[in-house]
Amino acid sequence: MKARYIYMIFNTLKHVMGELRDQSDHYLLDPPLLGELITALRGLGYSVIGPVVREGAIVYDEIESASQLPVGLRDRQGPGYYRLEERGDKAFFGFVVGPHSWKRFLYPPRVKLFTVSRKGEVTPNNVLGKKLAFIGVRGCELAAISVLDKVLLGGPYVDPVYSAMRREVFIVAVNCTEPGENCFCLSVGTGPEAGSGYDIGLTEVVGDGVHYFVAKAGSSAGKSLLERIGARRATDEEVSEAAARIERARTLFRKGLDVNGLKDLLYKNLESPVYAEVAERCLACANCTLVCPTCFCTTVEEVTTLSGNVAERWRRWDSCFNADFSYIHGGPIRSSRMSRYRQWFTHKLATWIDQFGVMGCVGCGRCITWCPVGIDITEEAAKIRQRVLEVSAT
Ligand code: SF4
Ligand code: SF4
């Protein structure tokens, strides 16, 4: 009995200490301090990458100040649909995700591997990496970076380019308070709140005459930066308001993926007629793989100078939707669009789990938005499940 009481007291103290520690990690930023944060990161030698508007879409690029962020804009999304519109407020992060992901900075679309001269001298291109600060990383995107870490750093073959680019990354995450039409992170457990792996986690509170960020320090580097820019501790009310906005976001999702038994379902139904139906619409354009924050397939190509004295080998993003991607001794293994869609779909949702211990899909919805014919990964998964139920009912 005595031991039980000691255990209960210990647990209560642990909980209280945890709460206190948690509370002490929350700071308050007003909008000008967001600019100070960017300036401070640049002062520490980071190239700061954040969301900006380019050609009608919100993409990621280097920024120098908070004024370059897409203030007051939201992105309306649907299957094969993306438009920006005014929100009617001054929110800095009032949108979700666009066609870019952080993959393009950690695992560039095109990178030189080496140069070789006619004399046979080989000069490797040792990618050195640089200090990168990502501003506005969503929960799904943080999960995607964690997936890439497993794929490109976690096995016996470490990717030297990714490893160099990933080494000094400072992450400012943003919790989502308004999910987009194609988001389904809630159902796959990656959002709307950012999980672990960030240095600073922001929740933007805007409306009803207030505009501030509750900033949670996720690392000692994040905490010291928040203190360096003079952010004060957030009050209990401010922290509660931010938490309430995230809780409310959980009720606003319109899309979901039923992951219950999904891997086995897909393994048992590789001949589902749904794949042939999708192939009737799929253009094999590869958009879905290029916008996906976790797809990592590449190819290599050689280019030579006109004189033929120097050749370079480059690596560039490729896609399993390209027929040549599975070309082996005389022909592609997956010659039909059906087999290529099935390869991508089952890799994302099933075989990836066997390879890396996690799903290859983090629920960002990009492949739905940027598919020109609006093919929706959640709907196709639901159809396969439904067909199985229909067959077993007959
Ligand atoms: S498969 Fe689609 S929804 Fe899933 S992570 Fe890739 S782009 Fe996002
Ligand atoms: S599913 Fe859509 S985005 Fe992907 S290859 Fe087919 S048509 Fe292109």
Side-chain angles (χ1 to χ4, degrees):
M1 190 62 108
K2 197 172 158 193
R4 193 164 152 238
Y5 279 125
I6 292 170
Y7 177 75
M8 280 168 61
I9 291 165
F10 173 75
N11 262 346
T12 307
L13 277 174
K14 204 168 97 178
H15 182 72
V16 169
M17 292 305 289
E19 291 275 300
L20 286 175
R21 192 177 58 244
D22 204 42
Q23 195 65 31
S24 75
D25 285 342
H26 287 93
Y27 294 78
L28 193 97
L29 305 188
D30 55 15
L33 267 191
L34 181 67
E36 294 294 320
L37 184 71
I38 292 170
T39 304
L41 283 165
R42 284 170 54 77
L44 290 170
Y46 287 97
S47 294
V48 179
I49 316 289
V52 293
V53 178
R54 297 264 189 279
E55 298 174 19
I58 294 173
V59 297
Y60 299 140
D61 205 348
E62 183 152 3
I63 57 171
E64 294 176 1
S65 75
S67 65
Q68 291 169 270
L69 296 170
V71 179
L73 290 178
R74 78 164 82 247
D75 45 2
R76 286 277 176 225
Q77 303 195 26
Y81 182 89
Y82 180 98
R83 296 286 184 281
L84 295 182
E85 60 183 49
E86 299 285 340
R87 289 174 55 89
D89 62 22
K90 297 281 184 204
F92 285 88
F93 299 100
F95 49 88
V96 284
V97 292
H100 280 183
S101 71
W102 305 100
K103 175 177 86 171
R104 68 184 300 103
F105 300 97
L106 299 173
Y107 192 62
R110 200 160 177 271
V111 61
K112 185 163 75 174
L113 298 178
F114 61 77
T115 306
V116 59
S117 73
R118 186 177 277 280
K119 290 181 193 155
E121 293 157 341
V122 178
T123 312
N125 180 31
N126 295 319
V127 175
L128 298 176
K130 57 181 177 176
K131 291 175 82 170
L132 294 171
F134 295 162
I135 307 289
V137 180
R138 308 298 176 139
C140 62
E141 302 189 293
L142 207 52
I145 293 172
S146 160
V147 169
L148 287 181
D149 286 351
K150 284 189 202 316
V151 174
L152 299 167
L153 302 178
Y157 305 106
V158 169
D159 184 82
V161 177
Y162 185 85
S163 172
M165 301 306 287
R166 181 75 174 95
R167 200 165 294 134
E168 286 191 90
V169 178
F170 188 99
I171 293 181
V172 179
V174 169
N175 297 313
C176 289
T177 53
E178 296 174 23
E181 293 85 348
N182 286 338
C183 298
F184 56 99
C185 59
L186 182 68
S187 59
V188 297
T190 62
E193 186 170 17
S196 61
Y198 59 79
D199 296 288
I200 295 174
L202 299 177
T203 307
E204 185 167 24
V205 176
V206 62
D208 301 327
V210 295
H211 192 183
Y212 59 83
F213 297 91
V214 170
K216 185 175 178 190
S219 71
S220 54
K223 192 177 177 77
S224 73
L225 189 61
L226 287 166
E227 292 187 348
R228 174 198 281 244
I229 62 170
R232 69 161 169 82
R233 294 291 158 89
T235 63
D236 289 353
E237 290 71 29
E238 289 159 346
V239 174
S240 300
E241 181 58 36
R245 303 249 170 166
I246 299 169
E247 281 313 304
R248 181 175 160 272
R250 292 181 198 280
T251 68
L252 300 177
F253 281 83
R254 284 151 281 195
K255 212 173 264 302
L257 176 70
D258 183 357
V259 293
N260 190 23
L262 184 58
K263 184 181 93 166
D264 290 339
L265 179 86
L266 297 184
Y267 280 158
K268 286 183 188 146
N269 292 280
L270 291 172
E271 301 302 330
S272 170
V274 171
Y275 293 118
E277 290 164 19
V278 181
E280 292 288 311
R281 292 185 289 144
C282 176
L283 308 170
C285 67
N287 266 16
C288 47
T289 50
L290 298 180
V291 296
C292 180
T294 63
C295 279
F296 57 89
C297 290
T298 55
T299 187
V300 288
E301 55 192 14
E302 272 85 36
V303 291
T304 55
T305 55
L306 282 177
S307 67
N309 286 330
V310 179
E312 292 174 347
R313 176 170 287 188
W314 287 75
R315 180 174 85 180
R316 67 167 172 78
W317 288 356
D318 202 350
S319 169
C320 52
F321 278 93
N322 293 332
D324 280 352
F325 187 72
S326 65
Y327 187 98
I328 296 178
H329 50 72
I333 290 175
R334 292 183 285 272
S335 55
S336 69
R337 262 175 294 156
M338 187 210 79
S339 61
R340 279 177 257 153
Y341 184 85
R342 181 175 58 190
Q343 155 66 26
W344 175 76
F345 187 85
T346 54
H347 191 207
K348 285 281 150 199
L349 304 178
T351 51
W352 204 300
I353 300 171
D354 290 334
Q355 284 179 293
F356 306 111
V358 289
M359 259 195 345
C361 174
V362 295
C364 72
R366 285 181 175 91
C367 57
I368 307 169
T369 301
W370 298 97
C371 173
V373 292
I375 293 172
D376 181 332
I377 187 172
T378 65
E379 282 181 7
E380 300 311 324
K383 276 188 217 163
I384 292 173
R385 197 182 285 277
Q386 182 60 28
R387 291 290 167 87
V388 173
L389 289 174
E390 284 165 10
V391 169
S392 58
T394 56

